[in-house]
Amino acid sequence: SGQRYEAETAPAVCQGTIDANHAGHSGSGFCNGNAAVGAYAEFTVNASTAGTATLGLRSAHAASGGTARPASLIVNGATVATVPFEPTGSWTTWATHTLNVPLNAGSNTIRLDPPTAAGLPNIDYLDVSTAGT
Ligand code: GCU
């Protein structure tokens, strides 16, 4: 089954501002993270059973210079991947990164933590799909 978690909707945390000035986002806005190392966005997601879940992370960024804005993907406190977040071409061009992560049964935290001073791309939502019903 699948569930969408909007970056602007609590209990999601955005270390930055919730903005809505770039068309094409889902819901009422997106997370514009602060331009700083460690300025994270975090989602709290529920899984009915433990196991592998497929994440879909939707983002956009078009910063001058075309430099990627990677982020560590931290699940329940453990870094499990780096999401590259290459430029999408414009602030209104939203792209989805798909990857598999382990989740616990019940509540899980999924944090995007940027290691560079540019911070995160704009983050729209996180989709979580699990094998269970
Ligand atoms: C621009 C853009 C913002 C974006 C920011 C950034 O100001 O309008 O939406 O967050 O650049 O570089 O992160």
Side-chain angles (χ1 to χ4, degrees), residues 17 19 21-22 30-35 60-64 69 91 94 118-123:
T17 57
D19 294 350
N21 57 328
H22 298 304
F30 54 86
C31 174
N32 171 1
N34 295 328
H61 100 78
S64 60
R69 293 189 182 183
W91 292 109
W94 299 88
L120 294 173
N122 290 341
I123 301 292

Side-chain angles (χ1 to χ4, degrees), residues 26-128:
S26 170
S28 60
F30 54 86
C31 174
N32 171 1
N34 295 328
V37 172
Y40 64 79
E42 185 175 272
F43 298 87
T44 299
V45 310
N46 195 67
S48 52
T49 58
T52 302
T54 301
L55 307 184
L57 276 163
R58 193 163 188 255
S59 67
H61 100 78
S64 60
T67 308
R69 293 189 182 183
S72 298
L73 182 69
I74 304 175
V75 178
N76 298 321
T79 300
V80 299
T82 298
V83 188
F85 289 131
E86 275 105 11
T88 60
S90 84
W91 292 109
T92 55
T93 302
W94 299 88
T96 303
H97 285 266
T98 302
L99 61 172
N100 294 328
V101 301
L103 294 183
N104 300 327
S107 185
N108 297 262
T109 57
I110 297 178
R111 179 180 295 193
L112 291 167
D113 193 306
T116 76
L120 294 173
N122 290 341
I123 301 292
D124 189 15
Y125 62 64
L126 170 64
D127 277 342
V128 180

